[in-house]
């Protein structure tokens, strides 16, 4: 499938504002223009974007119910009530539990007063469960703080109230019209929300709660900095926006990870084999740290993830990681098997050719891997995917979006068929009775077929700027790095270079000969030995490139570290033959 390149050159206004920003802040001219296109249109805004300050975080008491929540927590702490911290089993939920637990301990709450609970995928299902509430009741808990879940748990929270247990809900998912009967519901997505930023992660909501608690009790805000590493991990893993308040939290969380990580995170970073000389970034979290943390919740127990995140020394953290890594090997095998079976099912039924949404069900698939598989298929087929499993009365599903399709809204439209669901436009989870499954699949496919345009199925790459090879160097790379943290709403910039020819140095590489190491030039007899150009999984383009045909490439700038040497590398995302280039609006 040919990828569409979205590329619009900078207009005169963008060039003028970009120049002003670049000259004032001593940036590469291209970087000023990229900032302008991303909505940063003054020198002051650019300074705030490039140098986020914790002082610019919003007042946490602007969140509805925050004052009530803090007063209830103060009462629990003051009267020494037992407190249970309850979180979802994914990375966002487990980091949130670890964050609140660590902060309450820092503020002097006794460990004998604190408990935590992460639901089991198989025994509890998603979110708040009666089993978890009974666990709290057995320990004489009087207050449950729910993190990254609870906004839809109307019946379960009423069940807790009947047992004399209060709830404070800290969630970032979209609520229904009826809110649960909790003491406080902290969720910026409430219909009556008054908070200036609505895209916090679940862990971010927990941070705001602890920030308010600190302010109310006259405690040092600097102590909050010790948990910013957990905010950064949750923001990266949960794929929330990295603009606004999340940018501040992620920026300073990454600084902590690279300068003063906790013993737990030091052990995790060592276990994931991130090179010691490399700065941890959002990509490392997404592809190295988050999968390790997720593996425990998928294959073992989310409780073990929290134990790991609360490790008081590096050696115990590494021991926890070793157990998780062993279980992760099993997860990878199940992942490969499930993906293979899903691809065979799609091919056999020709699902991708007939439907605009792919939905697959097999009773024996493992619940712990269906989220990974749905993500992989959504990327491969450029369309939304739902993967379901379960042999008993209830079936579990994991959904991922593609092409801008609002997966949460689609599932919400069919909630009358569901037992439970939650998520956001990009990803969601659901539970359904097996008897309702055929009707649900039929209706959600019909909904997708009626609302999704065919053009959404074409994979797209958005290009930020066109460069000549002579413009590429360490100054540009270092200025681009200042735009980080990268993620949703602030992606790593993608560049375009046209009219390139093989220098004779292009070759196929890799164990399976699947990659291209490119030698390219944009002028006769000109070489760029300082540039390494890698095109992963682009070996099929070798014949065309080596045949001296002109090509265009789109790519990202990366730093390749080998032993003590650093090389600037162009990581090619796509190669286009120049005979398919079309005007400015797209390639």
């Amino acid at each position: 499938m040919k990828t569409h390149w979205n590329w619009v050159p900078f207009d005169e206004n963008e060039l003028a504002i970009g120049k002003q920003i670049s000259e004032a802040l001593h940036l590469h001219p291209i970087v000023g223009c990229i900032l302008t296109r991303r909505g940063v249109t003054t020198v002051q805004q650019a300074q705030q974007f490039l140098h986020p300050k914790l002082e610019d975080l919003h007042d946490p008491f602007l969140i509805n119910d925050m004052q009530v929540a803090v007063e209830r927590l103060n009462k629990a702490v003051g009267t020494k009530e037992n407190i249970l911290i309850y979180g979802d089993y994914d990375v966002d939920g487990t980091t949130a539990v670890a964050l609140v637990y660590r902060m309450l301990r820092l503020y002097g709450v006794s460990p004998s007063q604190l408990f935590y609970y992460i639901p089991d995928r198989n025994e509890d299902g998603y979110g708040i469960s009666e089993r978890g509430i009974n666990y709290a009741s057995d320990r004489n808990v009087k207050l449950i703080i729910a993190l990254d879940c609870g906004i839809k748990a109307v019946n379960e929270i009423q069940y807790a109230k009947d047992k004399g247990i209060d709830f404070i809900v800290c969630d970032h998912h979209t609520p229904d019209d009826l809110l649960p009967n909790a003491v406080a519901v902290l969720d910026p997505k409430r219909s009556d929300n008054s908070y200036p930023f609505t895209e916090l992660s679940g862990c971010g909501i927990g941070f705001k709660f602890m920030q308010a608690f600190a302010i109310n009790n006259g405690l040092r805000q600097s102590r909050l900095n010790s948990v910013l590493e957990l905010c950064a991990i949750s923001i990266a893993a949960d794929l929330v926006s990295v603009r606004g308040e999340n940018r501040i939290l992620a920026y300073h969380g990454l600084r902590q990870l690279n300068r003063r990580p906790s013993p737990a995170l030091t052990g995790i970073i060592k276990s994931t084999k991130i090179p010691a000389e490399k700065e941890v970034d959002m990509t490392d979290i997404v592809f190295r740290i988050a999968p390790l943390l997720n593996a425990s919740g998928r294959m073992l127990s989310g409780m073990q993830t929290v134990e790991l995140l609360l490790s008081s020394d590096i050696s115990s953290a590494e021991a926890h990681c070793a157990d998780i890594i062993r279980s992760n090997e099993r997860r990878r095998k199940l992942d490969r098997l499930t993906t293979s079976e899903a691809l065979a099912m799609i091919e056999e039924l020709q699902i991708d050719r007939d439907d605009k949404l792919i939905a697959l069900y097999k009773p024996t698939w493992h619940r712990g891997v269906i989220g990974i598989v749905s993500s992989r298929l959504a990327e491969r087929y450029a369309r939304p995917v739902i993967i379901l499993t379960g042999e008993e009365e209830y079936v579990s599903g994991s959904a991922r979006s593609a092409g801008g399709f609002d997966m949460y809204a689609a599932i919400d439209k069919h909630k009358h068929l569901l037992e439970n669901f939650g998520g956001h436009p990009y990803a969601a989870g659901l539970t359904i009775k097996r008897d309702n499954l055929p009707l649900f699949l039929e209706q959600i496919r019909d909904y997708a077929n009626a609302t999704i345009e065919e053009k959404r199925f074409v994979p797209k790459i958005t290009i930020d700027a066109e460069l000549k090879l002579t413009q590429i160097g360490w100054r540009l790379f270092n200025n681009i790095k200042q735009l980080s943290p990268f993620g949703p709403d602030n992606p790593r910039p993608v560049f375009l270079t046209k009219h390139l020819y093989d220098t004779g140095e292009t070759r196929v590489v890799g164990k399976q000969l699947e990659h291209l190491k490119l030698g390219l030039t944009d002028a006769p007899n000109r070489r760029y030995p300082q540039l390494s150009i890698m095109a992963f999984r682009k070996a099929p383009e070798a014949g065309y490139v080596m045949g001296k045909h002109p090509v265009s490439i789109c790519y990202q700038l990366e730093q390749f570290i080998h032993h003590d040497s650093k090389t600037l590398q162009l990581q090619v995302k796509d190669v286009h033959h120049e005979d398919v280039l079309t005007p400015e609006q797209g390639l």
Side-chain angles (χ1 to χ4, degrees), residues 399-428:
R400 296 295 182 272
S401 180
F405 181 71
D406 190 331
M407 183 59 82
Y408 180 88
I411 294 174
D412 183 61
K413 244 181 178 4
H414 304 89
K415 62 184 178 184
H416 59 284
L417 296 171
L418 305 176
E419 296 301 304
N420 193 10
F421 76 102
H424 48 74
Y426 308 108

Side-chain angles (χ1 to χ4, degrees), residues 273-285:
K273 294 183 170 54
I274 297 172
E277 64 275 16
K278 182 188 182 300
E279 283 194 3
V280 177
D281 58 22
M282 298 294 266
T283 301
D284 292 318
I285 294 174

